[in-house]
Amino acid sequence: MTLIAPEINADEKRGYQLELLIVFSMTLGLSGLRSLVRLIDSLLQPTPLNQQSVAINVPQAKADLLDLIAQLLGVLQLAAWGGIGLYLLWRTGIKLKVIGLDGTRKLADSLGALGLAAIIGIPGLAFYFAAWGLGLNLAVQPSTLDSQWWMSAALILAAAGNAWAEEVLVVGYLITRLEQLGWRKYTALLAAAVLRGSYHLYQGFGGFIGNLVMGLVFGFYWQRTRRLWPLVIAHTILDVVAFIGYTMLRGKVSWLP
């Protein structure tokens, strides 16, 4: 399916290039650079990668209520990141329907999301354990939050926030803009997938490769269908299973890093 978006002239192309630089220097591009720094720091440690650990959702305040507020503010930031991408597309004539964020295909989008979650989730988990076992990855702790009354709700919201920010910015927004700038279809797909892998480098080489593959699968699906909701829903499912599942199994099974 081809891009349904207004044609742009040379001045608009320069504007879009600057726009991309600004957006990603504030959001996931900056996260990618920080992740690279964290990976280098881990590699410089005397212990192997798989003997180190990294946590994703961590306490952000000692007081229970303040911790909850801080967690919710993090979700709000992720929602705003996705909102920036949508707003910039809307300002240039690209509506929600064009990128597949309308509500006209609820059943098809839901089925697509379940399929994507299965395709990525099961092999992805196996790949993580293989990469960790080979020393290519840190032990990833999806959550180290204590058992507060609000923990599950906060983790679900965090999962939805991650999914929203990443899929809107890295797929709906970035690939659309790159296609408008004249990038070839699969070059834009690869660039978006590399970006997705980059901000997971803090997990190790396995985190980069696994998310690169996820980016290729998700991006290819979107380029074929122009439906973004399945990606957002599937990503939310994957993160909810990881976050909640880890908290339920932590300390109860021997095979979990």
Side-chain angles (χ1 to χ4, degrees):
M1 186 177 294
T2 57
L3 177 66
I4 306 173
E7 295 183 1
I8 60 175
N9 56 40
D11 289 337
E12 289 173 320
K13 283 187 176 182
R14 286 191 290 271
Y16 286 168
Q17 290 167 346
L18 179 60
E19 177 188 286
L20 287 170
L21 179 62
I22 293 172
V23 168
F24 287 102
S25 67
M26 296 187 302
T27 59
L28 295 172
L30 181 61
S31 297
L33 293 176
R34 286 173 171 166
S35 287
L36 176 60
V37 171
R38 291 175 65 182
L39 174 60
I40 294 172
D41 183 58
S42 295
L43 290 170
L44 292 175
Q45 301 304 311
T47 55
L49 284 182
N50 60 356
Q51 294 181 26
Q52 301 178 47
S53 64
V54 61
I56 298 176
N57 296 287
V58 299
Q60 298 185 34
K62 293 182 179 180
D64 183 42
L65 181 58
L66 291 179
D67 193 8
L68 172 59
I69 293 172
Q71 300 295 335
L72 295 178
L73 289 175
V75 175
L76 179 61
Q77 181 184 53
L78 292 168
W81 282 5
I84 289 171
L86 289 183
Y87 173 74
L88 292 171
L89 291 177
W90 174 76
R91 281 293 302 267
T92 54
I94 300 176
K95 299 180 180 179
L96 295 181
K97 184 176 182 180
V98 174
I99 61 172
L101 277 178
D102 58 303
T104 59
R105 298 179 56 186
K106 295 182 178 65
L107 179 59
D109 287 346
S110 299
L111 293 175
L114 292 174
L116 286 171
I119 291 171
I120 295 297
I122 299 172
L125 184 61
F127 178 77
Y128 161 71
F129 280 111
W132 175 69
L134 292 171
L136 299 174
N137 223 68
L138 288 80
V140 179
Q141 299 175 320
S143 174
T144 58
L145 295 177
D146 295 328
S147 299
Q148 318 316 25
W149 61 268
W150 47 262
M151 181 189 68
S152 294
L155 290 175
I156 292 171
L157 288 174
N162 287 333
W164 172 258
E166 291 188 41
E167 304 311 329
V168 171
L169 278 179
V170 179
V171 178
Y173 170 72
L174 177 58
I175 295 181
T176 296
R177 282 291 189 249
L178 293 180
E179 290 179 345
Q180 285 183 293
L181 289 170
W183 286 44
R184 294 179 181 272
K185 177 179 179 180
Y186 294 119
T187 305
L189 171 63
L190 179 60
V194 170
L195 173 62
R196 186 189 296 262
S198 73
Y199 53 81
H200 290 91
L201 276 168
Y202 70 94
Q203 300 176 7
F205 298 105
F208 173 80
I209 296 171
N211 282 279
L212 171 67
V213 173
M214 177 178 172
L216 292 173
V217 173
F218 273 31
F220 179 76
Y221 179 93
W222 182 78
Q223 287 182 324
R224 291 291 300 272
T225 66
R226 295 292 162 175
R227 301 299 303 171
L228 196 60
W229 274 127
L231 277 61
V232 175
I233 297 170
H235 193 150
T236 301
I237 293 172
L238 292 170
D239 279 6
V240 167
V241 171
F243 296 168
I244 302 296
Y246 181 83
T247 60
M248 293 175 64
L249 296 175
R250 183 176 58 182
K252 298 179 181 178
V253 295
S254 59
W255 49 266
L256 196 63

